[in-house]
């Protein structure tokens, strides 16, 4: 790690203002920017988990306003313009109320793809269930206004996540509120399939009384293979155990202790499907799971197996299932989900005598729909207010406690990025940036994704018109050919702070302020958080101590008496208010770096006058 030269000495900072950490506010963009919303306070709190409260709709996170609240009481005060939220599928009333308290809510159901694309450019958020396809075209049509897509449920296979990420649009879902409903529906399908409930009901309604035709099979003692041992899968397993079934599960990512706790054996895919009397599917639809039950795998199953699917239709090759039903490998199937929804009216699968179907009802209980509606409404409103959603699907999930702790470092990270890029001659051509974090914590316990995103934002935004947020930071960096590497260095510290210092190094560029270059020719800026305020502590080989607020003029000069007065007078005569000055020098009467904090941007003439002071060797104005 490159460091400030040890030969430099630090002079005490000359504070020209009250720099008390509590009275000052520092602002940083997080996680959304480029919005036209004016700022007012949006306060969210959460009874289930504490949440960050961020003032300023979309635009700025004011670290002085971050607070954590435990009572879920929504008090939202938006200024002149409210955000607009499009709800494109039926959502529970309680969720709509949450949305209406802070936003204009447009409930427009059954939109065609074209109608959705037309409406979306006027919306800041979109809430969908599984019936709306949120395609790349939707994000393109949004023209940058769409900030959040909320999926009122679990499966996000109807949202183009890659496109969302590229457009910097956060996708959040409501992953927990419908778990029990889906599990109960799975159990209902297993039971009704085993006892031919649907077929017998239809037969009686047709005037028949067919007692011998509908003899069923018992569940007790039978083996159930749960494929996908996540939230729904494990609830199905728990209930099936209660019915006296022997339960095995296959899930490459499930922890063994969770299975053990429920009394379930985790087995390989082949063992699960070849030993089961009942197979219940509970995995997401992904490229890996698409058509995972196909001709080849049906051939491995016990003859007379029964299949249940409340996950996603696409995980079964439906034509192969029809063949397996016709050949008798599969005795019965009970399906809630289909590759195409609704399936064609003449679908052989739906019409098959041994198949029981329901129209994607897994999550459709009153209780689940109210729960999902509230869960998604709170997540979307929180995200619009700058809160980092705990259910984000395409951005790092940062727990509220971690965010609270990291907030001042988030400010520091962005400011160091902005500062470093402004020191590059020409401002562009940056190919690689190295970030070094020193911390007393084990490097593995340090989640720096948020900080890296803010450094990226600080570097990219001053030199391009791209807006960067936590969602698209890595993607944008890659797009611009910017390679960001990170190093975490452990240091001894008893401060308890998560981070001791952050250093940003830019290699292979020229600097417009040569003093920012280290001995090995890299631009180096390093900072710390002191009393909650971001400080620049090192520039090139110089130790400095500059509070990173407002704008800064950096001067390298010959260390001699009167410099502070001379420059202060020039600024004063131009009516530029100085907030602080700080001087670091290499040695008595040698070279010094003077950092001057200014509230207003000095005119070109004023800066020229500073440059003309004979002892000043170079200077740069940096807008933070
Ligand atoms: N029918 C409905 O109305 C309804 C309701 C809720 C959920 N769902 C669907 O049910 C599925 C599960 O939901 P969940 O909330 O339990 O999600 P979850 O993320 O909690 O669980 C999914 C599990 O599948 C596992 N998995 C991933 N790839 C796998 C593979 N190749 N083989 C086996 N397991 C694999 C994951 O490790 C995870 O444990 C999702 O597809 C969801 O969309 C449907
Ligand atoms: O993934 C889900 O949450 C379920 O499939 C529910 O989908 P729905 O919201 O369209 O009922």
């Amino acid at each position: 790690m490159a460091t400030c030269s040890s030969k430099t000495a630090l002079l005490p900072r000359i504070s020209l203002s009250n720099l008390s950490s509590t009275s000052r506010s520092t602002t940083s963009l997080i996680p959304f920017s480029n919005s036209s919303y004016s700022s007012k306070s949006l306060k969210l709190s959460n009874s289930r988990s504490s949440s960050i409260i961020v003032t300023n709709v979309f635009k700025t996170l004011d670290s002085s306003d971050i607070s954590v609240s435990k009572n879920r009481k929504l008090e939202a005060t938006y200024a002149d313009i409210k955000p607009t939220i499009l709800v494109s599928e039926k959502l529970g009333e309680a969720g709509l109320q949450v949305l209406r308290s802070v936003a204009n809510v447009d409930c427009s159901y059954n939109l065609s793809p074209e109608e959705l694309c037309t409406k979306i450019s006027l919306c800041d958020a979109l809430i969908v269930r599984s019936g709306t396809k949120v395609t790349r075209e939707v994000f393109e049509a949004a023209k940058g206004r769409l900030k959040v897509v909320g999926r009122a449920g679990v499966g996000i296979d109807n949202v183009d996540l890659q496109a969302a990420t590229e457009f910097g649009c956060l996708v959040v879902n409501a992953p927990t509120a419908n778990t029990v409903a889906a599990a109960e529906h799975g159990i209902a399908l297993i039971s009704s399939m085993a006892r031919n409930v649907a077929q017998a009901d239809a037969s009686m309604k047709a005037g028949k009384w067919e007692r011998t035709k509908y003899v069923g099979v018992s569940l007790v003692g039978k083996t159930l293979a749960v494929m996908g041992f996540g939230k729904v899968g494990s609830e199905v397993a728990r209930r099936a155990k209660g019915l006296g079934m022997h339960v095995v599960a296959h899930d490459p990512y499930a922890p063994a202790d969770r299975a053990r706790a429920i009394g379930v054996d985790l087995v390989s895919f082949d063992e699960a499907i070849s030993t089961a009397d009942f197979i219940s599917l509970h995995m997401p639809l992904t490229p890996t799971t698409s058509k995972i039950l196909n001709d080849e795998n049906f051939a491995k199953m016990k003859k007379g197996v029964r299949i249940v699917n409340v996950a996603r239709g696409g995980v079964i090759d439906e034509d192969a299932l029809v063949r397996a039903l016709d050949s008798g490998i599969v005795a019965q199937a009970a399906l809630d989900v289909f590759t195409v929804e609704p399936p064609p009216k003449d679908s052989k699968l739906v019409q098959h005598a041994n198949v029981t179907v329901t129209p994607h009802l897994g999550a459709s209980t009153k209780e689940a729909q109210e729960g999902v509606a509230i869960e998604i409404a709170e997540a979307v409103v929180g995200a619009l207010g700058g809160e980092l959603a705990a259910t984000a699907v395409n951005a790092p999930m940062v727990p509220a406690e971690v965010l609270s702790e990291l907030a001042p470092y988030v400010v520091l990270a962005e400011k160091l990025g902005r500062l470093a890029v402004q020191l590059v001659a020409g401002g562009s051509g940056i190919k690689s940036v190295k970030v070094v974090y020193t911390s007393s914590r084990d490097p593995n316990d340090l989640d720096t994704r948020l900080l890296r995103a803010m450094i990226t934002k600080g570097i990219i935004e001053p030199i391009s018109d791209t807006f960067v947020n936590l969602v698209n930071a890595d993607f944008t960096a890659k797009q611009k050919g910017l390679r960001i590497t990170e190093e975490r260095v452990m240091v001894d510290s008893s401060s308890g702070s998560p981070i001791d210092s952050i250093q940003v190094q830019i290699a292979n560029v020229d600097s417009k302020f040569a003093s920012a270059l280290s001995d090995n020719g890299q631009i180096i800026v390093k900072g710390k958080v002191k009393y909650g305020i971001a400080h620049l502590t090192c520039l090139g080989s110089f130790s400095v101590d500059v509070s990173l607020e407002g704008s800064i003029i950096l001067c390298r000069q010959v260390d001699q008496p009167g410099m502070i007065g001379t420059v202060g007078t020039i600024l004063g005569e131009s009516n530029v208010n100085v907030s602080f000055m700080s001087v670091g020098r290499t040695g008595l009467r040698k070279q010094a770096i003077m950092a001057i904090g200014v509230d207003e941007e000095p005119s070109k003439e004023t800066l020229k006058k500073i440059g003309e002071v004979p002892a000043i060797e170079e200077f740069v104005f940096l807008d933070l």
Side-chain angles (χ1 to χ4, degrees):
M1 170 173 71
T3 52
C4 292
S5 157
S6 55
K7 64 185 178 214
T8 58
L10 181 69
L11 289 186
R13 188 178 66 189
I14 303 165
S15 173
L16 300 182
S17 68
N18 171 12
L19 287 177
S20 126
S21 62
T22 48
S23 65
R24 288 236 149 205
S25 76
T26 50
T27 31
S28 163
L29 299 171
I30 176 179
F32 298 111
S33 65
N34 89 341
S35 154
S36 58
Y37 290 92
S38 49
S39 60
K40 268 252 175 137
S41 156
L42 165 70
K43 292 190 174 178
L44 294 177
S45 50
N46 194 332
S47 60
R48 278 168 289 161
S49 63
S50 54
S51 63
I52 296 295
I53 298 177
V54 181
T55 55
N56 293 12
V57 181
F58 302 128
K59 177 98 182 149
T60 56
L61 164 68
D62 186 327
S63 54
S64 68
D65 286 327
I66 290 177
S67 60
V68 176
S69 171
K70 292 212 171 195
N71 310 312
R72 185 73 207 181
K73 187 170 169 234
L74 191 75
E75 301 163 25
T77 316
Y78 282 87
D80 324 322
I81 314 166
K82 281 181 165 188
T84 297
I85 300 176
L86 174 61
V87 179
S88 68
E89 289 177 72
K90 183 115 182 64
L91 193 71
E93 190 50 41
L96 289 174
Q97 275 175 25
V98 172
L99 299 177
R100 286 192 189 111
S101 66
V102 297
N104 299 315
V105 181
D106 174 357
C107 293
S108 294
Y109 307 147
N110 304 316
L111 292 173
S112 68
E114 295 72 29
E115 288 167 332
L116 177 60
C117 284
T118 305
K119 267 189 178 287
I120 206 68
S121 63
L122 304 171
C123 299
D124 305 287
L126 166 66
I127 295 185
V128 301
R129 287 178 59 184
S130 59
T132 307
K133 303 277 172 270
V134 192
T135 58
R136 178 170 288 275
E137 288 70 41
V138 174
F139 292 105
E140 280 166 0
K143 299 192 174 73
R145 179 158 172 184
L146 186 66
K147 298 290 180 298
V148 190
V149 171
R151 163 52 171 120
V154 185
I156 30 92
D157 42 290
N158 53 322
V159 180
D160 186 335
L161 278 187
Q162 178 59 33
T165 304
E166 287 176 25
F167 283 84
C169 180
L170 185 74
V171 180
V172 290
N173 70 351
T176 57
N178 67 22
T179 299
V180 166
E184 287 178 350
H185 198 61
I187 293 292
L189 288 180
I190 292 173
S191 307
S192 56
M193 173 173 64
R195 302 307 295 270
N196 301 306
V197 172
Q199 290 84 347
D201 176 74
S203 154
M204 267 193 80
K205 285 186 172 130
K208 300 177 191 165
W209 184 256
E210 301 178 294
R211 296 187 64 216
T212 48
K213 183 172 177 186
Y214 294 119
V215 173
V217 291
S218 188
L219 299 182
V220 71
K222 297 284 163 47
T223 297
L224 169 70
V226 172
M227 310 300 286
F229 195 64
K231 293 183 293 296
V232 179
S234 42
E235 288 304 320
V236 165
R238 199 191 303 277
R239 284 160 177 74
K241 292 284 288 181
L243 295 172
M245 300 185 85
H246 169 60
V247 183
V248 296
H250 169 70
D251 187 326
Y253 315 105
D257 53 350
R258 184 174 352 126
R260 219 175 296 121
I262 302 180
V264 169
D265 296 328
L266 277 180
V267 298
S268 69
F269 180 85
D270 279 0
E271 185 178 345
I273 61 165
S274 61
T275 56
D277 302 299
F278 289 79
I279 295 174
S280 194
L281 299 169
H282 300 289
M283 65 259 281
L285 176 60
T286 65
T288 320
T289 62
S290 173
K291 295 190 177 176
I292 200 163
L293 293 199
N294 48 28
D295 285 315
E296 188 189 340
N297 287 325
F298 283 124
K300 294 176 189 165
M301 295 177 191
K302 263 189 185 173
K303 194 165 165 56
V305 66
R306 288 174 166 79
I307 311 280
V308 177
N309 189 5
V310 290
R312 280 294 177 270
V315 301
I316 298 182
D317 177 341
E318 292 177 339
D319 294 336
L321 177 55
V322 172
R323 287 189 285 276
L325 283 157
D326 288 343
S327 71
I329 294 177
V330 174
Q332 288 182 301
L335 310 171
D336 182 48
V337 284
F338 305 88
T339 304
V340 176
E341 294 187 357
K345 289 206 169 71
D346 60 352
S347 158
K348 277 190 184 162
L349 189 58
V350 174
Q351 299 301 334
H352 202 287
N354 296 338
V355 175
T356 304
V357 287
T358 50
H360 203 148
L361 291 181
S364 295
T365 62
K366 282 183 184 163
E367 296 83 354
Q369 281 313 306
E370 282 299 286
V372 163
I374 294 171
E375 196 177 349
I376 203 62
E378 290 181 345
V380 166
V381 169
L384 286 177
E387 207 177 290
L388 287 175
T391 60
V393 175
N394 63 342
M397 291 184 253
V398 184
E401 316 75 67
V402 175
L403 184 56
S404 176
E405 185 182 59
L406 282 184
Y409 302 91
V410 164
V411 175
L412 174 66
E414 187 189 352
K415 293 208 167 181
L416 288 176
R418 289 182 77 85
L419 206 138
V421 74
Q422 289 180 74
L423 289 167
V424 176
S428 56
I430 307 171
K431 288 279 167 260
S432 93
V433 173
K434 181 170 178 185
V435 185
V436 183
Y437 309 92
T438 59
S439 167
S440 57
R441 298 201 183 160
D442 185 310
N444 294 324
D445 292 340
L446 200 58
D447 185 345
T448 55
R449 290 171 300 175
L450 180 54
L451 301 175
R452 187 180 67 227
M454 297 316 283
I455 290 168
T456 308
K457 181 180 181 64
I459 290 172
I460 290 177
E461 285 196 341
I463 55 170
S464 83
D465 57 1
T466 314
F467 92 94
V468 182
N469 63 17
L470 189 55
V471 176
N472 69 356
D474 286 344
F475 172 79
T476 310
K478 260 192 215 125
Q479 279 274 349
K480 301 211 171 283
L482 182 65
R483 188 164 166 266
I484 302 198
T485 54
E486 293 175 289
E487 186 182 329
R488 298 171 178 83
V489 178
M490 243 181 123
V491 290
D492 277 343
S493 167
S494 55
S495 70
S497 314
I499 287 167
D500 182 58
S501 70
I502 303 176
Q503 177 165 305
V504 176
Q505 299 170 207
I506 305 182
N508 304 321
V509 287
D510 293 330
S511 176
K512 57 172 85 149
F513 188 68
S515 312
L517 292 168
S518 67
D519 295 344
N520 61 6
Q522 298 187 38
I523 289 181
I524 291 196
V525 292
K526 180 175 173 180
K528 294 188 175 209
V529 170
K530 297 185 179 182
Y531 307 107
I533 305 267
H535 278 237
L536 175 70
T537 56
C538 174
L539 182 77
S541 304
F542 287 86
S543 288
V544 290
D545 187 6
V546 182
S547 161
L548 291 173
E549 298 169 291
S551 301
I552 288 178
I553 302 168
L554 292 175
C555 304
R556 187 185 67 211
Q557 71 216 30
V558 178
D559 180 38
Q560 62 181 55
M563 291 304 295
I564 292 173
T566 306
V567 176
T569 305
I570 294 172
L571 290 168
E573 282 169 355
S574 310
N575 204 22
V576 174
N577 196 40
V578 173
S579 55
F580 64 85
M581 281 190 177
S582 155
V583 183
R585 64 183 181 183
T586 53
L588 188 65
R589 304 269 168 155
K590 291 190 176 163
Q591 280 185 320
I593 292 283
M594 177 163 57
I596 308 152
V598 287
D599 292 337
E600 295 86 24
E601 180 171 348
S603 65
K604 280 196 180 116
E605 294 70 47
T606 308
L607 290 171
K608 193 164 166 263
K609 277 187 199 162
I610 292 174
E612 283 165 1
V613 174
I616 289 186
E617 295 168 346
E618 61 169 347
F619 76 98
V620 65
F621 171 75
L622 302 168
D623 183 11
L624 296 179

